[in-house]
Amino acid sequence: MRTSMFRTLTQTAWLVAASALMAMATLPVADSAQAQSSIKILVNDQPITTYDINNRAKFLRLTSRGQAGAKQATDELIEEALKLQEAKRRNVTVSQSEVDRAFASIASRAKLPPSKLEAALRQNGVNPDTLKDRIRAELAWRDVVRARFRATVRITESDVAQAMLGRDDDAETSGTVTEYDVQPVLFIVPKKGKSGIAAQRKREAEAFRSRFRNCDATLEQTRGMAGVFVKPTVRRESGDFPDSLQGSLSKAKVGTALPPTQVDEGFQVLGICNKKAVAGKTQAADEVRDELTNERGQLLARRYLRDLKSDAIIEYR
């Protein structure tokens, strides 16, 4: 349900490849001869050549239908150099196999094998390495940003509730769910038990449920009962319970138990230890939380890159 915290850091690479393939059918084949390359920019002494810029510019013109060019290519390459330098400084590495898998994923979305995608790019005068370099930088930057801001980006329930106020009424009213603290009590049915043992254990589970007092008394109530195991208390949302228990769950009070259900080990009785309504726990709220997390993560990532750029020594030749 939930997406990656900084998922949009790599979305651009996936989308441009798909649009590139759509554009390829209408663009003329570029001259395959490469112009003599020279160093155009130094980013902290890392060179960016005229070939790098020209090749990226061709890629951007291809994927933007002619709307982007040398300036955008230069900006991208400078930022990628900074991202990879910061990744190296923080010992973040991206393997060639990761890059190849991402490239193959792009090809798959375009319904092509990787070799065909490479051929299509080359046919349009674009070295496939420019896309792979871009992928490598984005993957590295994703990991750098995630590690840097994992503990910084925190979305509270009040943040979610506030954001949901701007949504429709249905979304607002669906922003609350009931959480239950339950104590599972297992009535074990041996795998090779005698005929009728399962029915007997189910009757014992039903009898226990009828006299269940509260979670604090469970261990005392089950003391001396053979084949009965009391598990630690767990927390579940209402939607996590099986459909067969939903009717009983809506009427259940703290200090009562739900009807026994069959599980792998035998039969399980769930004692209701506590329940409370919690805002911002539905699918709609999860989507809002994910959006807020992504927005804040992207904001921090942009500031991070801006700071790297302001501290860098960038020399144009």
Side-chain angles (χ1 to χ4, degrees), residues 185-208:
V185 181
L186 290 174
F187 289 75
I188 306 298
V189 176
K191 295 296 183 183
K192 297 182 180 180
K194 296 180 181 179
S195 176
I197 187 66
Q200 177 185 334
R201 298 303 277 167
K202 183 177 181 181
R203 289 193 295 270
E204 293 172 357
E206 290 172 341
F208 172 78

Short mmCIF file of all heavy atoms in Angstrom, two decimals, residues 185-208:
data_model
loop_
_atom_site.label_atom_id
_atom_site.label_comp_id
_atom_site.label_asym_id
_atom_site.label_seq_id
_atom_site.Cartn_x
_atom_site.Cartn_y
_atom_site.Cartn_z
N VAL A 185 -5.21 -16.92 22.74
CA VAL A 185 -5.12 -18.13 23.56
C VAL A 185 -5.34 -19.31 22.63
O VAL A 185 -6.40 -19.43 22.00
CB VAL A 185 -6.16 -18.13 24.69
CG1 VAL A 185 -6.02 -19.40 25.53
CG2 VAL A 185 -6.01 -16.89 25.56
N LEU A 186 -4.33 -20.16 22.50
CA LEU A 186 -4.36 -21.28 21.56
C LEU A 186 -4.74 -22.58 22.26
O LEU A 186 -4.19 -22.91 23.32
CB LEU A 186 -3.00 -21.45 20.89
CG LEU A 186 -2.58 -20.38 19.89
CD1 LEU A 186 -1.15 -20.63 19.44
CD2 LEU A 186 -3.51 -20.34 18.70
N PHE A 187 -5.66 -23.28 21.63
CA PHE A 187 -6.03 -24.63 22.06
C PHE A 187 -5.46 -25.57 21.00
O PHE A 187 -6.01 -25.70 19.91
CB PHE A 187 -7.55 -24.75 22.18
CG PHE A 187 -8.11 -23.98 23.36
CD1 PHE A 187 -8.22 -22.59 23.31
CD2 PHE A 187 -8.50 -24.65 24.51
CE1 PHE A 187 -8.71 -21.89 24.40
CE2 PHE A 187 -9.00 -23.94 25.60
CZ PHE A 187 -9.10 -22.55 25.55
N ILE A 188 -4.34 -26.19 21.35
CA ILE A 188 -3.56 -26.95 20.38
C ILE A 188 -4.27 -28.25 19.99
O ILE A 188 -4.74 -29.01 20.86
CB ILE A 188 -2.17 -27.29 20.95
CG1 ILE A 188 -1.46 -26.00 21.42
CG2 ILE A 188 -1.33 -28.00 19.89
CD1 ILE A 188 -1.21 -24.99 20.34
N VAL A 189 -4.31 -28.49 18.68
CA VAL A 189 -4.81 -29.76 18.15
C VAL A 189 -3.62 -30.50 17.55
O VAL A 189 -3.04 -30.04 16.57
CB VAL A 189 -5.89 -29.54 17.07
CG1 VAL A 189 -6.32 -30.88 16.47
CG2 VAL A 189 -7.10 -28.82 17.66
N PRO A 190 -3.22 -31.64 18.13
CA PRO A 190 -2.06 -32.38 17.59
C PRO A 190 -2.28 -32.77 16.14
O PRO A 190 -3.40 -33.10 15.72
CB PRO A 190 -1.99 -33.62 18.50
CG PRO A 190 -2.72 -33.23 19.75
CD PRO A 190 -3.80 -32.28 19.31
N LYS A 191 -1.20 -32.73 15.37
CA LYS A 191 -1.28 -33.07 13.95
C LYS A 191 -1.76 -34.50 13.75
O LYS A 191 -2.48 -34.81 12.80
CB LYS A 191 0.09 -32.88 13.29
CG LYS A 191 0.57 -31.44 13.27
CD LYS A 191 -0.33 -30.56 12.42
CE LYS A 191 0.20 -29.14 12.33
NZ LYS A 191 -0.72 -28.26 11.54
N LYS A 192 -1.37 -35.38 14.64
CA LYS A 192 -1.77 -36.79 14.51
C LYS A 192 -2.63 -37.20 15.70
O LYS A 192 -2.47 -38.27 16.28
CB LYS A 192 -0.53 -37.68 14.41
CG LYS A 192 0.32 -37.41 13.18
CD LYS A 192 1.51 -38.35 13.10
CE LYS A 192 2.35 -38.07 11.86
NZ LYS A 192 3.53 -38.98 11.77
N GLY A 193 -3.55 -36.31 16.07
CA GLY A 193 -4.41 -36.60 17.20
C GLY A 193 -5.49 -37.63 16.87
O GLY A 193 -5.74 -37.94 15.71
N LYS A 194 -6.11 -38.12 17.91
CA LYS A 194 -7.17 -39.11 17.74
C LYS A 194 -8.38 -38.49 17.06
O LYS A 194 -8.60 -37.28 17.10
CB LYS A 194 -7.57 -39.69 19.09
CG LYS A 194 -6.46 -40.46 19.79
CD LYS A 194 -6.95 -40.99 21.13
CE LYS A 194 -5.83 -41.75 21.85
NZ LYS A 194 -6.29 -42.26 23.17
N SER A 195 -9.19 -39.34 16.47
CA SER A 195 -10.42 -38.87 15.84
C SER A 195 -11.30 -38.18 16.87
O SER A 195 -11.50 -38.67 17.98
CB SER A 195 -11.16 -40.06 15.21
OG SER A 195 -12.39 -39.64 14.67
N GLY A 196 -11.81 -37.02 16.51
CA GLY A 196 -12.70 -36.28 17.40
C GLY A 196 -12.00 -35.29 18.30
O GLY A 196 -12.67 -34.51 18.99
N ILE A 197 -10.64 -35.28 18.31
CA ILE A 197 -9.92 -34.37 19.18
C ILE A 197 -10.15 -32.91 18.80
O ILE A 197 -10.24 -32.02 19.65
CB ILE A 197 -8.40 -34.69 19.19
CG1 ILE A 197 -7.68 -33.83 20.23
CG2 ILE A 197 -7.80 -34.47 17.82
CD1 ILE A 197 -8.08 -34.13 21.64
N ALA A 198 -10.26 -32.63 17.48
CA ALA A 198 -10.47 -31.26 17.03
C ALA A 198 -11.80 -30.72 17.54
O ALA A 198 -11.88 -29.60 18.04
CB ALA A 198 -10.42 -31.19 15.51
N ALA A 199 -12.85 -31.54 17.45
CA ALA A 199 -14.16 -31.11 17.94
C ALA A 199 -14.12 -30.88 19.45
O ALA A 199 -14.73 -29.94 19.98
CB ALA A 199 -15.21 -32.16 17.58
N GLN A 200 -13.39 -31.72 20.16
CA GLN A 200 -13.28 -31.57 21.61
C GLN A 200 -12.57 -30.28 21.97
O GLN A 200 -12.99 -29.56 22.87
CB GLN A 200 -12.53 -32.76 22.20
CG GLN A 200 -12.29 -32.66 23.70
CD GLN A 200 -11.45 -33.81 24.22
OE1 GLN A 200 -11.42 -34.89 23.64
NE2 GLN A 200 -10.75 -33.56 25.33
N ARG A 201 -11.47 -29.99 21.25
CA ARG A 201 -10.72 -28.77 21.54
C ARG A 201 -11.54 -27.52 21.22
O ARG A 201 -11.43 -26.51 21.92
CB ARG A 201 -9.41 -28.75 20.73
CG ARG A 201 -8.47 -29.88 21.03
CD ARG A 201 -8.09 -29.92 22.50
NE ARG A 201 -7.00 -29.00 22.80
CZ ARG A 201 -6.65 -28.65 24.03
NH1 ARG A 201 -7.32 -29.12 25.06
NH2 ARG A 201 -5.65 -27.83 24.24
N LYS A 202 -12.36 -27.61 20.19
CA LYS A 202 -13.20 -26.47 19.87
C LYS A 202 -14.21 -26.22 20.98
O LYS A 202 -14.47 -25.06 21.35
CB LYS A 202 -13.93 -26.69 18.53
CG LYS A 202 -14.77 -25.49 18.10
CD LYS A 202 -15.42 -25.73 16.75
CE LYS A 202 -16.23 -24.50 16.33
NZ LYS A 202 -16.91 -24.69 15.03
N ARG A 203 -14.79 -27.29 21.55
CA ARG A 203 -15.74 -27.13 22.65
C ARG A 203 -15.05 -26.52 23.87
O ARG A 203 -15.62 -25.67 24.55
CB ARG A 203 -16.36 -28.48 23.01
CG ARG A 203 -17.33 -29.01 21.96
CD ARG A 203 -18.15 -30.17 22.50
NE ARG A 203 -17.30 -31.33 22.82
CZ ARG A 203 -17.02 -32.29 21.96
NH1 ARG A 203 -17.51 -32.24 20.72
NH2 ARG A 203 -16.25 -33.30 22.30
N GLU A 204 -13.80 -26.94 24.11
CA GLU A 204 -13.06 -26.38 25.23
C GLU A 204 -12.78 -24.89 25.01
O GLU A 204 -12.85 -24.09 25.96
CB GLU A 204 -11.74 -27.14 25.41
CG GLU A 204 -11.92 -28.58 25.87
CD GLU A 204 -10.61 -29.34 25.86
OE1 GLU A 204 -9.58 -28.76 25.43
OE2 GLU A 204 -10.60 -30.52 26.25
N ALA A 205 -12.47 -24.52 23.76
CA ALA A 205 -12.22 -23.12 23.45
C ALA A 205 -13.47 -22.28 23.63
O ALA A 205 -13.42 -21.15 24.16
CB ALA A 205 -11.71 -22.99 22.01
N GLU A 206 -14.61 -22.82 23.22
CA GLU A 206 -15.88 -22.10 23.38
C GLU A 206 -16.23 -21.93 24.84
O GLU A 206 -16.73 -20.88 25.27
CB GLU A 206 -16.98 -22.84 22.63
CG GLU A 206 -16.84 -22.76 21.11
CD GLU A 206 -17.82 -23.66 20.39
OE1 GLU A 206 -18.34 -24.60 21.02
OE2 GLU A 206 -18.04 -23.47 19.17
N ALA A 207 -15.96 -22.97 25.63
CA ALA A 207 -16.24 -22.89 27.06
C ALA A 207 -15.35 -21.85 27.73
O ALA A 207 -15.79 -21.07 28.59
CB ALA A 207 -16.05 -24.27 27.71
N PHE A 208 -14.08 -21.84 27.35
CA PHE A 208 -13.16 -20.85 27.90
C PHE A 208 -13.62 -19.45 27.55
O PHE A 208 -13.60 -18.54 28.39
CB PHE A 208 -11.76 -21.09 27.36
CG PHE A 208 -10.77 -20.01 27.73
CD1 PHE A 208 -10.21 -19.98 29.00
CD2 PHE A 208 -10.43 -19.02 26.82
CE1 PHE A 208 -9.32 -18.96 29.35
CE2 PHE A 208 -9.54 -18.01 27.17
CZ PHE A 208 -8.98 -17.99 28.43
#
